């Protein structure tokens, strides 16, 4: 009979046989997991490198892609080598675009779970999020950047985008993408949103319960206990100040000054503590209805400042002198036009009576309202003064010591409510004065006439180079400034608020001060009707480009040519200044008039040129960079050679008034605008939204802001001025700007013939693709023709040379000049 086997030894032997198999399985799992992690990291780094090297690597990959592994000439720049370049190209260019950066996350999470044999990452959830992201992100990329050179959407994204945009339209696709994003966020964070909602409901319920408890407690109180200084529990003087040595024995005495009793037996005690006056210590037994009010006599004694005690001064309006206007022109010498007659002052009409009516009762009433409103917020005033202007009255207040200026500034809406007036503006403080200004619109507004401005002594006797009479200040002073010192002026304001009147005031001022030899205008009017009144003065005052019938420019294409012609004029003038060894136009003309410059050497008298553009926003919307760049050049450099810019727009948004333009226009005028954002865009500060319209403006000059009422000149007056100038029979030659030839109009003649003769074999296919889609985009050639970036860029340059597309416009697609296939075929036949 055989012995039974030892069961314990058998189990040990089986365990020893199973141990190697167990560890071998774990090794394989860890190796697979680490390999997947390594591959995901490798892919992610390759994707990052692709963002920097895609232009160089793309031409080596796309035609065909698999040859990159065997080609001896392929020299990739991706830091992960050929494999990294190939993987990143497939993921980004061929498939998912920028969404490819999500791809390595899934294998990384899967590799971590396999390596540690734990469910550290929820791979199913990650896969669902990945699928959603790889669909939505490429579509968003193409929707936001349709003409980007980088493949933001990839091949799959482009196909899906084209199908959806054709099916839904661009707007419908945008709504779909936005709805998909919102739906994803709601699903992704639904638990957090629900928890936040529950927390809000819980807090609201707690506040409601506390309010109910407080309401149930308050009616039970019959007396409000206010600490008295004699109460031992609140012996502040004895335990605090006395111990610290701040008060002497005499300062501890409390002297009763006044004792008042109201009919309901409520007692008010007004006392003086030490040497400090007007401290009120109250013991207030509250009546059953919990309602009490100070008597009128008590209020007057308690309040330190009352409306009757204030010093109120009304400053009389300044009456400036008017003098006889000289209509005769200057003597004929050194190129100055002979016998020119300035328009007579009688052409202008005196609108209104020219004076300012002061209603003392209204001023007193508004003063009392301002003082009362400020006293409601414990703001005491020591002095107040009123200065009456044409449309607004300035109340200057001197607050008591210790009052914060910001506290008064924040009461702008409260003061406007108390005065029942719109357009209240607070200046805290007034520059150069120790006061705070409150501007209140007048009930009766006076019209500032252009006739009084021109006839003023300040304007007639000014020695400014380009004096412009804008209007009157709040103190009724005529405001005359020098355009040449600004040196450029930017005007903005909502429709109907006075921009055109402001432009007319500038033009009329210069016509009454400068003769045609000293001044020329370049007028640009996209609306075609605002500046048409000045067409009559064309032969004397207007400058234009050669071979143009109209001196007032209205066509956008001609505007671009005119601005570039002005840039050429500016460069030519700088050459003259350089040869004359002077720094500015004033020194140059002075030297020319004193016979120190020889006309045979090309020197001539240089008139000032004022460029006026009405409705600049329309030009920026239609031409953009083609308008912005010459404007920026002129604004930066043209001052010294006597070229000055006045630009007006009704849309003071940041895409119209760009940073480049804004930085070079220190002089700015803001009429009433719709919002504080528009005011900050034009003035770098608020206030223009508070103006009352109809010529009310803020002028920002040298960091100072002045409120003015613009001078008014009517259309019949301008017509008579223009007719008077036109009817003078004087020798004159139209001032022509240098000729500017647009590169677009050169066609193939403007490029190197070798450039077009060495055309790419796919030139005609690329041309047909561009004309068919009417999109001048390099990325379109890349995607549709499977070409690299460099080759696509050369093709686009050749298309520009053939005048099929326009010049490069940065991130925007080029303009396609050829609109039909028939026209394209005719051009292609001509190039053969």
């Amino acid at each position: 009979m055989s012995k039974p086997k030892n069961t314990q030894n058998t189990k040990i032997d089986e365990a020893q046989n199973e141990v190697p198999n167990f560890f071998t399985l774990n090794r394989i799992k860890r190796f697979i997991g680490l390999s997947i992690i390594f591959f995901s990291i490798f892919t992610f780094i390759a994707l990052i490198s692709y963002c920097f090297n895609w232009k160089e690597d793309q031409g080596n990959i796309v035609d065909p892609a698999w040859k990159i592994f065997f080609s001896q000439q392929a020299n990739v720049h991706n830091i992960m080598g050929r494999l990294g370049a190939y993987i990143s190209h497939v993921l980004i260019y061929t498939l998912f675009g920028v969404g490819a950066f999500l791809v390595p996350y899934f294998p990384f999470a899967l590799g971590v779970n396999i390596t540690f044999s734990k469910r550290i990452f929820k791979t199913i959830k990650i896969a669902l999020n990945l699928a959603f992201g790889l669909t939505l992100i490429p579509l968003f990329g193409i929707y936001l950047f349709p003409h980007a050179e980088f493949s933001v959407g990839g091949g799959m994204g482009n196909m899906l985008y084209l199908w959806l945009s054709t099916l839904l339209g661009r707007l419908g696709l945008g709504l779909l993408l936005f709805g998909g994003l919102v739906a994803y966020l709601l699903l992704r964070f639904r638990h957090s949103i629900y928890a936040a909602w529950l927390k809000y409901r819980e807090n609201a319920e707690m506040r409601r319960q506390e309010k109910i408890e407080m309401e149930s407690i308050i009616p039970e109180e019959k007396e409000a206990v206010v600490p008295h200084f004699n109460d031992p529990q609140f012996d502040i003087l004895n335990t605090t100040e006395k111990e610290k040595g701040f008060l002497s024995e005499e300062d501890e005495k409390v002297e009763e000054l006044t004792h008042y009793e109201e009919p309901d037996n409520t007692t008010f005690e007004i006392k003086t503590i030490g040497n400090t006056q007007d401290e009120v210590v109250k013991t207030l037994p509250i009546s059953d209805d919990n309602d009490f009010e100070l008597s009128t006599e008590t209020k007057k004694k308690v309040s330190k400042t009352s409306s009757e005690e204030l010093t109120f001064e009304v400053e009389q309006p300044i009456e400036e002198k008017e003098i006889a206007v000289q209509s005769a022109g200057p003597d004929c010498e050194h190129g100055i036009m002979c016998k020119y007659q300035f328009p007579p002052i009688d052409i202008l009409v005196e609108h209104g009576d020219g004076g300012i009516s002061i209603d003392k009762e209204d001023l007193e009433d508004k003063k009392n309202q301002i003082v009362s409103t400020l006293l409601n917020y414990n703001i005491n005033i020591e002095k107040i003064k009123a200065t009456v202007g044409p449309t607004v009255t300035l109340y200057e207040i001197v607050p008591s010591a210790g009052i914060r200026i910001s506290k008064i500034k924040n009461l702008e809406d409260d003061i406007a409510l108390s005065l029942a007036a719109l357009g209240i503006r607070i200046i805290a403080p007034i520059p150069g004065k120790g006061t705070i200004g409150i501007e209140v619109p007048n009930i009766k507004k006076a019209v500032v006439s252009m006739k009084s401005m021109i006839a003023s002594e300040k304007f007639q006797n000014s020695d400014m180079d380009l004096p412009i009479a804008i209007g009157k200040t709040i103190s009724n002073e005529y405001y005359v400034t020098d355009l040449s010192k600004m040196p450029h002026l930017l005007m903005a304001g909502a429709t109907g608020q006075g921009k055109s009147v402001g432009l007319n005031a500038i033009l009329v001022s210069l016509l009454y001060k400068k003769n045609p030899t000293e001044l020329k205008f370049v007028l640009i009017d996209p609306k075609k009707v605002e500046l048409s009144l000045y067409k009559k003065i064309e032969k004397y005052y207007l400058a234009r480009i050669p071979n143009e019938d109209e001196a007032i420019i209205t066509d956008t294409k001609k505007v671009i040519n005119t601005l570039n012609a002005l840039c050429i004029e500016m460069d030519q003038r700088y050459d003259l200044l350089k040869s004359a060894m002077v720094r500015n136009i004033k020194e140059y003309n002075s030297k020319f008039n004193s016979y120190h410059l020889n006309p045979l050497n090309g020197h001539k008298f240089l008139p000032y040129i004022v460029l006026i553009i009405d409705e600049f926003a329309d030009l920026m919307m239609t031409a953009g960079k083609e308008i912005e760049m010459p404007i920026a050049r002129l604004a930066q450099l043209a001052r010294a050679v006597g070229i000055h810019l006045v630009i007006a727009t009704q849309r003071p948004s940041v895409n119209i008034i760009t940073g480049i333009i804004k930085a070079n226009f220190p002089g700015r005028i803001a009429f009433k605008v719709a919002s504080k954002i528009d005011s900050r865009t034009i003035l770098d500060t608020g206030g223009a939204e508070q103006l009352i319209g109809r010529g009310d403006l803020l002028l920002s000059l040298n960091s100072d802001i002045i409120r003015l009422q613009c001078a008014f000149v009517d259309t019949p007056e301008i017509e008579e001025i223009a007719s008077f100038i036109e009817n003078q029979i004087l020798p004159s030659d139209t001032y022509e700007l240098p000729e500017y030839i647009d590169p677009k109009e050169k066609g193939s003649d403007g490029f190197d013939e070798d450039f077009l003769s060495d055309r790419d074999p796919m030139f005609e296919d690329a041309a047909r693709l561009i004309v068919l889609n009417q999109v001048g985009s390099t990325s379109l050639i890349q995607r549709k023709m499977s070409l690299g970036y460099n080759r696509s860029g050369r093709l686009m340059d050749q298309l520009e040379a053939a005048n099929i597309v326009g010049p490069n416009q940065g991130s925007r697609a080029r303009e396609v000049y050829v609109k039909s296939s028939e026209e394209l075929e005719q051009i292609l036949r001509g190039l053969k």
Side-chain angles (χ1 to χ4, degrees), residues 105-123:
Y105 182 53
F106 178 76
F108 178 82
L110 184 64
V112 170
N113 288 352
I114 294 174
T115 301
F116 296 97
S117 300
K118 292 182 181 179
R119 193 167 174 260
I120 298 175
F121 292 96
K122 299 178 180 178
T123 52

Side-chain angles (χ1 to χ4, degrees), residues 208-227:
R208 192 178 69 84
Q209 292 295 335
E210 289 175 359
K211 184 177 180 181
I212 294 173
E213 291 175 4
M214 292 297 295
E215 290 176 352
S216 62
I217 292 173
I218 291 175
E220 297 176 4
E221 296 183 354
K222 294 297 182 180
E223 183 173 346
V225 180
V226 179

Side-chain angles (χ1 to χ4, degrees), residues 348-354 447-451 712-714 717:
L348 299 174
V349 179
E350 187 69 52
H351 300 280
D353 56 8
V447 178
V448 178
S449 176
M450 195 69 200
K451 182 177 182 178
F712 177 69
V713 55
D714 206 357
E717 300 171 62

Side-chain angles (χ1 to χ4, degrees), residues 669-699:
I669 287 179
F671 293 89
K672 182 176 176 61
V673 295
S675 66
K676 185 175 290 187
I677 296 175
D678 291 343
S679 178
R680 291 186 181 278
T681 302
I682 181 69
L683 295 176
D684 293 327
T685 185
E689 77 282 359
Q690 299 288 0
L691 299 176
I692 59 177
R694 299 183 63 84
D696 190 18
L697 64 90
L698 293 177
L699 170 64

Side-chain angles (χ1 to χ4, degrees), residues 25-250:
L25 180 61
N26 275 351
R27 287 196 193 99
I28 295 174
K29 290 174 63 179
R30 289 195 183 103
F31 177 79
I32 295 173
L34 291 173
S35 299
I36 296 175
I37 293 173
F38 169 78
F39 177 75
S40 63
I41 297 174
F42 177 93
T43 303
F44 186 76
I45 297 174
L47 292 173
I48 295 175
S49 179
Y50 181 86
C51 295
F52 298 96
N53 302 303
W54 64 277
K55 293 181 180 180
E56 294 83 1
D57 291 349
Q58 197 177 82
N60 296 320
I61 298 174
V62 297
D63 191 20
W66 56 268
K67 283 188 177 181
I68 189 175
F69 297 112
F70 308 99
S71 175
Q72 299 296 327
Q73 299 178 352
N75 183 21
V76 299
H77 295 77
N78 197 296
I79 61 175
M80 305 312 289
R82 296 187 178 186
L83 179 60
Y86 176 81
I87 292 175
S88 57
H89 173 78
V90 171
L91 290 177
I92 293 179
Y93 185 84
T94 308
L95 296 177
F96 308 116
V98 292
F101 284 91
L102 299 177
V103 173
Y105 182 53
F106 178 76
F108 178 82
L110 184 64
V112 170
N113 288 352
I114 294 174
T115 301
F116 296 97
S117 300
K118 292 182 181 179
R119 193 167 174 260
I120 298 175
F121 292 96
K122 299 178 180 178
T123 52
I124 297 178
K125 187 175 182 180
I126 292 174
L128 293 175
N129 289 332
L130 180 63
F132 190 90
L134 292 179
T135 304
L136 198 62
I137 292 177
L139 288 175
F140 260 115
I142 302 175
Y143 188 83
L144 297 176
F145 307 101
H147 305 302
E149 295 177 349
F150 187 81
S151 181
V152 292
M156 273 182 47
N158 285 329
M159 291 172 56
L160 186 58
Y161 175 82
L162 290 174
W163 178 69
L164 288 176
S165 60
T166 305
L167 180 66
L168 304 175
R170 182 170 174 81
L171 179 60
L173 178 57
L175 294 175
L176 177 65
L177 293 176
F178 179 78
L181 179 62
V182 172
Y184 172 77
L185 293 176
L186 290 176
L187 290 173
R188 179 68 177 82
F189 302 102
R190 62 186 184 279
H191 298 296
S192 302
I193 296 173
Y194 184 69
W197 168 249
L198 291 179
K199 186 68 175 179
Y200 170 80
R201 292 289 301 273
E202 182 181 352
N203 292 338
E205 183 65 22
M206 290 177 62
R207 288 194 296 269
R208 192 178 69 84
Q209 292 295 335
E210 289 175 359
K211 184 177 180 181
I212 294 173
E213 291 175 4
M214 292 297 295
E215 290 176 352
S216 62
I217 292 173
I218 291 175
E220 297 176 4
E221 296 183 354
K222 294 297 182 180
E223 183 173 346
V225 180
V226 179
H228 197 280
F229 284 106
N230 294 328
D231 193 336
Q233 295 181 356
F234 302 94
D235 193 4
I236 302 174
L237 296 179
N238 294 328
T239 61
T240 307
E241 305 296 338
K242 183 177 177 181
E243 289 176 2
K244 294 180 179 179
F246 292 152
L247 295 178
S248 63
E249 293 292 336
E250 295 180 357

